[in-house]
PDB file of all heavy atoms in Angstrom:
ATOM      1  N   MET S1253      57.163  72.185  76.747  1.00 93.00           N
ATOM      2  CA  MET S1253      57.614  71.342  77.843  1.00 93.00           C
ATOM      3  C   MET S1253      56.678  70.145  78.016  1.00 93.00           C
ATOM      4  O   MET S1253      55.487  70.225  77.633  1.00 93.00           O
ATOM      5  CB  MET S1253      57.666  72.142  79.165  1.00 93.00           C
ATOM      6  CG  MET S1253      58.665  73.279  79.182  1.00 93.00           C
ATOM      7  SD  MET S1253      58.770  74.080  80.820  1.00 93.00           S
ATOM      8  CE  MET S1253      59.690  72.838  81.742  1.00 93.00           C
ATOM      9  N   GLY S1254      57.191  69.095  78.617  1.00 94.00           N
ATOM     10  CA  GLY S1254      56.371  67.938  78.951  1.00 94.00           C
ATOM     11  C   GLY S1254      55.429  68.284  80.088  1.00 94.00           C
ATOM     12  O   GLY S1254      55.631  69.244  80.837  1.00 94.00           O
ATOM     13  N   ALA S1255      54.384  67.466  80.249  1.00 95.00           N
ATOM     14  CA  ALA S1255      53.366  67.732  81.256  1.00 95.00           C
ATOM     15  C   ALA S1255      53.929  67.733  82.669  1.00 95.00           C
ATOM     16  O   ALA S1255      53.615  68.597  83.491  1.00 95.00           O
ATOM     17  CB  ALA S1255      52.248  66.698  81.131  1.00 95.00           C
ATOM     18  N   PHE S1256      54.801  66.762  82.973  1.00 97.00           N
ATOM     19  CA  PHE S1256      55.379  66.682  84.309  1.00 97.00           C
ATOM     20  C   PHE S1256      56.311  67.867  84.563  1.00 97.00           C
ATOM     21  O   PHE S1256      56.292  68.450  85.654  1.00 97.00           O
ATOM     22  CB  PHE S1256      56.155  65.371  84.472  1.00 97.00           C
ATOM     23  CG  PHE S1256      55.271  64.158  84.607  1.00 97.00           C
ATOM     24  CD1 PHE S1256      55.060  63.313  83.531  1.00 97.00           C
ATOM     25  CD2 PHE S1256      54.654  63.865  85.806  1.00 97.00           C
ATOM     26  CE1 PHE S1256      54.260  62.183  83.641  1.00 97.00           C
ATOM     27  CE2 PHE S1256      53.843  62.735  85.934  1.00 97.00           C
ATOM     28  CZ  PHE S1256      53.642  61.897  84.850  1.00 97.00           C
ATOM     29  N   SER S1257      57.102  68.229  83.570  1.00 96.00           N
ATOM     30  CA  SER S1257      58.056  69.334  83.728  1.00 96.00           C
ATOM     31  C   SER S1257      57.342  70.657  83.951  1.00 96.00           C
ATOM     32  O   SER S1257      57.676  71.419  84.847  1.00 96.00           O
ATOM     33  CB  SER S1257      58.961  69.430  82.496  1.00 96.00           C
ATOM     34  OG  SER S1257      59.657  68.227  82.271  1.00 96.00           O
ATOM     35  N   PHE S1258      56.339  70.924  83.119  1.00 96.00           N
ATOM     36  CA  PHE S1258      55.601  72.176  83.231  1.00 96.00           C
ATOM     37  C   PHE S1258      54.886  72.281  84.562  1.00 96.00           C
ATOM     38  O   PHE S1258      54.920  73.329  85.232  1.00 96.00           O
ATOM     39  CB  PHE S1258      54.595  72.284  82.084  1.00 96.00           C
ATOM     40  CG  PHE S1258      53.858  73.593  82.047  1.00 96.00           C
ATOM     41  CD1 PHE S1258      54.444  74.716  81.494  1.00 96.00           C
ATOM     42  CD2 PHE S1258      52.571  73.699  82.557  1.00 96.00           C
ATOM     43  CE1 PHE S1258      53.760  75.929  81.458  1.00 96.00           C
ATOM     44  CE2 PHE S1258      51.881  74.904  82.526  1.00 96.00           C
ATOM     45  CZ  PHE S1258      52.480  76.024  81.970  1.00 96.00           C
ATOM     46  N   THR S1259      54.266  71.186  84.989  1.00 95.00           N
ATOM     47  CA  THR S1259      53.551  71.182  86.269  1.00 95.00           C
ATOM     48  C   THR S1259      54.501  71.390  87.431  1.00 95.00           C
ATOM     49  O   THR S1259      54.201  72.145  88.369  1.00 95.00           O
ATOM     50  CB  THR S1259      52.794  69.851  86.452  1.00 95.00           C
ATOM     51  OG1 THR S1259      51.889  69.658  85.364  1.00 95.00           O
ATOM     52  CG2 THR S1259      52.027  69.825  87.764  1.00 95.00           C
ATOM     53  N   SER S1260      55.664  70.749  87.382  1.00 96.00           N
ATOM     54  CA  SER S1260      56.635  70.868  88.471  1.00 96.00           C
ATOM     55  C   SER S1260      57.128  72.305  88.611  1.00 96.00           C
ATOM     56  O   SER S1260      57.187  72.852  89.713  1.00 96.00           O
ATOM     57  CB  SER S1260      57.814  69.926  88.221  1.00 96.00           C
ATOM     58  OG  SER S1260      58.772  70.051  89.255  1.00 96.00           O
ATOM     59  N   VAL S1261      57.477  72.927  87.485  1.00 95.00           N
ATOM     60  CA  VAL S1261      58.023  74.279  87.526  1.00 95.00           C
ATOM     61  C   VAL S1261      56.964  75.283  87.980  1.00 95.00           C
ATOM     62  O   VAL S1261      57.246  76.174  88.799  1.00 95.00           O
ATOM     63  CB  VAL S1261      58.575  74.683  86.149  1.00 95.00           C
ATOM     64  CG1 VAL S1261      59.023  76.138  86.155  1.00 95.00           C
ATOM     65  CG2 VAL S1261      59.756  73.796  85.770  1.00 95.00           C
ATOM     66  N   ARG S1262      55.726  75.150  87.499  1.00 94.00           N
ATOM     67  CA  ARG S1262      54.694  76.127  87.849  1.00 94.00           C
ATOM     68  C   ARG S1262      54.363  76.066  89.324  1.00 94.00           C
ATOM     69  O   ARG S1262      54.159  77.112  89.966  1.00 94.00           O
ATOM     70  CB  ARG S1262      53.429  75.907  87.012  1.00 94.00           C
ATOM     71  CG  ARG S1262      52.693  74.616  87.267  1.00 94.00           C
ATOM     72  CD  ARG S1262      51.319  74.574  86.627  1.00 94.00           C
ATOM     73  NE  ARG S1262      50.333  75.294  87.417  1.00 94.00           N
ATOM     74  CZ  ARG S1262      49.016  75.158  87.249  1.00 94.00           C
ATOM     75  NH1 ARG S1262      48.547  74.356  86.307  1.00 94.00           N
ATOM     76  NH2 ARG S1262      48.179  75.825  88.002  1.00 94.00           N
ATOM     77  N   TYR S1263      54.347  74.855  89.911  1.00 94.00           N
ATOM     78  CA  TYR S1263      54.012  74.763  91.336  1.00 94.00           C
ATOM     79  C   TYR S1263      55.199  75.121  92.221  1.00 94.00           C
ATOM     80  O   TYR S1263      55.009  75.580  93.360  1.00 94.00           O
ATOM     81  CB  TYR S1263      53.469  73.372  91.665  1.00 94.00           C
ATOM     82  CG  TYR S1263      52.044  73.189  91.235  1.00 94.00           C
ATOM     83  CD1 TYR S1263      51.629  72.063  90.527  1.00 94.00           C
ATOM     84  CD2 TYR S1263      51.094  74.177  91.492  1.00 94.00           C
ATOM     85  CE1 TYR S1263      50.320  71.924  90.109  1.00 94.00           C
ATOM     86  CE2 TYR S1263      49.776  74.037  91.088  1.00 94.00           C
ATOM     87  CZ  TYR S1263      49.397  72.910  90.400  1.00 94.00           C
ATOM     88  OH  TYR S1263      48.090  72.790  89.977  1.00 94.00           O
ATOM     89  N   LEU S1264      56.407  74.923  91.734  1.00 95.00           N
ATOM     90  CA  LEU S1264      57.568  75.403  92.478  1.00 95.00           C
ATOM     91  C   LEU S1264      57.506  76.910  92.590  1.00 95.00           C
ATOM     92  O   LEU S1264      57.717  77.487  93.678  1.00 95.00           O
ATOM     93  CB  LEU S1264      58.862  74.962  91.770  1.00 95.00           C
ATOM     94  CG  LEU S1264      60.165  75.519  92.379  1.00 95.00           C
ATOM     95  CD1 LEU S1264      60.330  75.046  93.815  1.00 95.00           C
ATOM     96  CD2 LEU S1264      61.366  75.105  91.528  1.00 95.00           C
ATOM     97  N   LEU S1265      57.208  77.572  91.487  1.00 94.00           N
ATOM     98  CA  LEU S1265      57.092  79.031  91.494  1.00 94.00           C
ATOM     99  C   LEU S1265      55.907  79.466  92.340  1.00 94.00           C
ATOM    100  O   LEU S1265      55.991  80.462  93.081  1.00 94.00           O
ATOM    101  CB  LEU S1265      56.937  79.537  90.057  1.00 94.00           C
ATOM    102  CG  LEU S1265      56.901  81.056  89.849  1.00 94.00           C
ATOM    103  CD1 LEU S1265      58.145  81.707  90.444  1.00 94.00           C
ATOM    104  CD2 LEU S1265      56.779  81.381  88.366  1.00 94.00           C
TER     105      LEU S1265
END
Side-chain angles (χ1 to χ4, degrees):
M1253 296 185 75
F1256 287 101
S1257 302
F1258 184 80
T1259 302
S1260 179
V1261 174
R1262 66 169 280 196
Y1263 283 133
L1264 175 61
L1265 184 56

